């Protein structure tokens, strides 16, 4: 029941996309998610496709990892395709079954929506495939920095994210250890009547939560003992560096916006 | 100890636990899409121990962590509704925070109420997200509300029941854990 737990999707690599500043990637993906909706004819979808697939190839992430990310979206794509095939009644009839007919408009709309979902998932998963969660956190902290003026605790927010990410593997190990210990005592987590399985969670959760709260207390104490007092004047171990390629990437996104506006009908 | 520091550490560690408990699944007949897991348990525990602020912040963190660890993005509005907001509102359970000296039956009622409200708001957030997504992807005339409500309740309702049962059991066996000192 906890098999194949893989936290995060990051695939180490040395491509240009991997080495880009996380801020540039975050801005690019953010803009991309919105402008995907501009495409509305074959030409604009074709251009969007060239841009998206080009970026994916450029990242040199092995194909199996990309395809794995697409798996959960297949059902939605299939479902919306079928809806469009039978419900969109536009254009000439392609197939007539008597009780219903498939129109050209339905096929075209279905393919467009499928392409849009495909491109969205491709590019957004590329962000997590090429950027470590901790880099994303640093990027978010830096992008949110202006919010400090309105007293939004940007630093504390980023600190909590980093602590969480740091402790996920540790707590995962602990969870597995407790699960094994309780299984050895006869707890059944994945088979047997549902009532017994639910009950089996209690001896898992109690030690897990107690040790987690203990850890939090130790951590807070350790931070205080080392004189931690917030973000003011604090220096960083990992510094973000904006390079020429980052500016170039954002210019490319700008070009994509302009071309999409020109091509759409 | 500095209470603010302790709060930061607790929220961070509980969010990490939320991500992990998201993998602890209860398999059953609800297998189309969303899954029934324990990911909301840490949010409710923080909400009942530390009130709305603890719950809401833990929820927000879990939502954002899910988003940067394993995103599933199909629409700009869906991103906000399915991740940060959906889990943030779970923390509203803290409005019904029981006191540790309350009787067991009163604690159970408050836990039931809090968990219900938290799950209900999460359901609403996912349902609206689904409707917005379908409105942009499915043809006109699709019963988007029906689809979205059916799909999302199919896993939120069993998750809610599982969570309530577990929290009630925890409140009995480990009251200090759920309600603080």
């Amino acid at each position: 029941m906890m098999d194949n737990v893989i936290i995060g999707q990051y695939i180490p690599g040395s491509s240009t996309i991997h080495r880009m500043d996380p801020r540039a990637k975050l801005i690019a993906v953010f803009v991309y998610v919105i402008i995907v909706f501009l495409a509305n004819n074959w030409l604009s979808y074709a251009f969007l496709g060239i841009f998206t697939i080009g970026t994916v190839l450029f990242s040199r992430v092995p194909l199996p990892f990309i395809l794995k990310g697409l798996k959960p979206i297949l059902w939605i794509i299939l479902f919306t395709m079928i809806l469009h095939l039978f419900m969109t009644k536009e254009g000439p009839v392609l197939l007539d079954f008597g009780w219903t007919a498939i129109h050209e408009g339905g096929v075209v709309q279905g393919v467009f929506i499928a392409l849009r979902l495909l491109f969205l998932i491709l590019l957004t998963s590329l962000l997590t495939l090429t950027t470590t969660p901790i880099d994303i956190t640093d990027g978010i902290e830096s992008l949110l920095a202006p919010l400090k003026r309105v007293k939004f605790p940007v630093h504390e927010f980023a600190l909590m994210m980093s602590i969480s990410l740091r402790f996920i593997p540790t707590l995962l190990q602990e969870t597995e250890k407790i699960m094994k210990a309780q299984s050895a005592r006869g707890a059944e987590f994945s088979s047997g009547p549902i009532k017994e399985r639910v009950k089996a969670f209690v001896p898992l959760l109690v030690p897990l939560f107690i040790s987690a709260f203990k850890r939090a207390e130790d951590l807070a104490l350790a931070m205080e003992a080392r004189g931690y007092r917030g973000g003011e004047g604090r220096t960083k171990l990992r510094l973000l560096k904006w390079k020429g390629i980052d500016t170039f990437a954002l210019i490319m996104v700008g070009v994509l916006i302009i071309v999409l506006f020109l091509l759409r009908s | 100890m500095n209470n603010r520091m302790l709060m930061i550490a607790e929220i961070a560690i509980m969010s990490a636990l939320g991500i992990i408990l998201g993998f602890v699944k209860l398999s059953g007949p609800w297998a189309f899409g969303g899954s029934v897991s324990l990911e909301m348990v840490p949010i409710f525990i923080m909400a009942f121990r530390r009130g709305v602020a603890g719950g809401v912040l833990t929820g927000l963190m879990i939502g954002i962590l899910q988003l940067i660890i394993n995103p599933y993005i199909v629409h700009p509005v869906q991103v906000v509704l399915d991740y940060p907001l959906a889990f943030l509102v779970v923390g509203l359970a803290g409005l019904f925070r029981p006191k540790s000296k309350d009787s067991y039956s009163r604690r159970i009622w408050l836990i039931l109420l809090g968990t219900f409200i938290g799950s209900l708001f999460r359901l609403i957030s996912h349902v609206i997200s689904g409707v917005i997504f379908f409105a942009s992807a499915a043809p006109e005339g699709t019963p988007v509300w029906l689809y979205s409500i059916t799909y999302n309740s199919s896993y939120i309702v069993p998750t809610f029941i599982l969570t309530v049962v577990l929290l009630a059991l925890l409140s009995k066996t480990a009251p200090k854990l759920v309600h603080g000192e």
Side-chain angles (χ1 to χ4, degrees), chain A residues 171 174 207-216, chain B residues 13-14 17:
Chain A
L171 290 173
E174 194 153 303
L208 193 58
F209 273 97
I210 288 179
S211 94
F213 278 119
K214 179 84 179 48
R215 240 177 239 285
Chain B
I13 301 271
M14 282 301 122
L17 204 52

Side-chain angles (χ1 to χ4, degrees), chain A residues 7 15 18 22 34 62 85 95 115 121 126 135-136 143 147 154 156 181 190-191 194 221 238 243 246 254:
Chain A
I7 310 251
S15 74
H18 279 86
I34 296 166
L85 283 185
L95 268 175
L115 284 177
I121 295 289
L126 199 60
D135 271 342
I136 298 182
L143 288 174
L147 288 179
V154 178
E156 276 80 0
S190 45
S191 62
I194 212 154
L221 201 65
R238 299 176 307 271
K243 296 178 289 287
D246 300 307

Side-chain angles (χ1 to χ4, degrees), chain A residues 22-240:
Chain A
R23 287 171 292 185
K25 287 193 253 190
L26 282 166
I27 298 172
V29 168
F30 181 78
V31 175
Y32 182 90
V33 169
I34 296 166
I35 59 171
V36 162
F37 290 81
L38 285 174
N40 63 356
N41 56 23
W42 288 110
L43 217 53
S44 48
Y45 268 106
F47 188 78
L48 197 62
I50 293 171
F51 180 92
T52 311
I53 292 167
T55 314
V56 170
L57 292 178
F58 199 50
S59 73
R60 296 204 303 252
V61 173
L63 201 63
F65 293 105
I66 307 262
L67 294 179
K68 213 179 105 215
L70 293 179
K71 234 194 269 163
I73 192 95
L74 282 180
W75 289 112
I76 293 208
I77 291 186
L78 214 65
F79 185 60
T80 47
M81 272 291 250
I82 292 170
L83 282 177
H84 274 289
L85 283 185
F86 292 101
M87 287 180 63
T88 307
K89 306 277 178 217
E90 282 164 26
V93 174
L94 294 179
L95 268 175
D96 199 340
F97 297 111
W99 51 276
T100 183
I102 293 180
H103 293 248
E104 195 188 296
V107 177
V108 171
Q109 280 305 314
V111 171
F112 280 174
I113 299 292
L115 284 177
R116 186 212 286 161
L117 291 175
L118 194 70
F119 294 159
L120 269 172
I121 295 289
L122 272 178
L123 212 85
T124 49
S125 58
L126 199 60
L127 174 71
T128 46
L129 283 167
T130 62
T131 324
T132 57
I134 200 75
D135 271 342
I136 298 182
T137 306
D138 286 344
I140 295 177
E141 180 180 10
S142 167
L143 288 174
L144 291 183
L147 288 179
K148 278 180 193 156
R149 293 222 188 106
V150 290
K151 298 272 178 216
F152 181 81
V154 178
H155 174 77
E156 276 80 0
F157 168 77
L159 176 73
M160 286 193 281
M161 296 271 285
S162 325
I163 297 176
S164 284
L165 291 169
R166 156 67 184 77
F167 277 98
I168 286 175
T170 315
L171 290 173
L172 185 65
Q173 249 180 8
E174 194 153 303
T175 311
E176 281 169 344
K177 209 169 76 187
I178 298 174
M179 274 176 130
K180 278 184 190 144
Q182 302 297 21
S183 299
R185 296 183 176 91
E188 284 275 11
F189 294 109
S190 45
S191 62
I194 212 154
K195 205 177 134 205
E196 296 305 313
R197 274 187 284 155
V198 172
K199 269 193 191 157
F201 283 136
V202 176
L204 164 71
L205 292 178
V206 173
L208 193 58
F209 273 97
I210 288 179
S211 94
F213 278 119
K214 179 84 179 48
R215 240 177 239 285
E217 210 181 307
D218 290 350
L219 185 68
L221 201 65
M223 284 164 70
E224 213 178 339
R226 284 165 177 76
Y228 176 85
R229 51 190 154 64
E232 208 59 43
R234 196 173 155 78
T235 55
K236 284 184 147 285
L237 173 64
R238 299 176 307 271
L239 285 174
L240 298 177

Side-chain angles (χ1 to χ4, degrees), chain B residues 40-67:
Chain B
M40 290 201 288
V41 176
I43 310 180
F44 286 124
I45 293 217
M46 279 302 276
F48 293 141
R49 267 172 79 107
R50 291 205 163 249
V52 178
V56 162
L57 286 171
T58 309
L60 176 69
M61 290 306 281
I62 290 182
I64 295 174
L65 283 167
Q66 301 262 28
L67 184 60

